[in-house]
Structure formats: C-alpha cells, structure tokens
Amino acid sequence: MKLIDLFYGRNHNSTKGKFNLRNRFGEPVTVTKEIRYTVTDGQSNVHINGYDDLSEYCRTVGHTYRSGKEV
C-alpha cells in the first residue's frame, strides 16, 4: 500500500483534500491534495499539477479547445 493510499484511502476520485498531522516532535504538519490534470492523447499520459502549467503545455504542443480557442 502506498503512502498516499494510507492518507486518502484507495479512492483517488477526490480531487481536493486537506488534513492536519503532527510530526514526531509534536509540530503541526499540513497535507494538501490539489487538483491534478492528466492529458491523454491516445498514446501517452502527461500529469500536470496546475492550470498555468497545463496552459503552457497546451500552447507548446498545440492543443486547443474544439472551437480553436487556446487553453
């Protein structure tokens, strides 16, 4: 079982989450799960962590909305 499974369970459909832990010295630790984008083009999957990075990636490789508008 992976560490992420211990924190969030096996359901990875939850896109956001936050909880507070403590380290061994009793100091607070915050764990946050953010939205992650996955770009699939039939041959490969690219995982991108933020919308700005997604937009930059799409401009670089030439992906647009079906209407032709840039991401």
Side-chain angles (χ1 to χ4, degrees):
M1 181 177 275
K2 295 180 181 179
L3 183 60
I4 195 79
D5 292 331
L6 292 173
F7 288 142
Y8 295 104
R10 292 211 177 260
N11 183 2
H12 295 287
N13 293 330
S14 173
T15 56
K16 290 187 177 181
K18 179 178 178 179
F19 58 92
N20 298 309
L21 303 175
R22 294 191 182 273
N23 65 15
R24 67 178 90 186
F25 304 109
E27 299 164 338
V29 176
T30 302
V31 177
T32 306
K33 182 179 180 185
E34 299 292 332
I35 294 173
R36 182 177 80 174
Y37 298 94
T38 303
V39 180
T40 304
D41 67 359
Q43 297 177 357
S44 64
N45 293 326
V46 177
H47 301 287
I48 301 171
N49 291 324
Y51 185 80
D52 292 337
D53 293 335
L54 173 65
S55 180
E56 179 65 29
Y57 173 77
C58 289
R59 273 194 298 265
T60 301
V61 297
H63 295 327
T64 61
Y65 287 105
R66 291 181 179 179
S67 65
K69 180 181 172 185
E70 289 187 358
V71 177

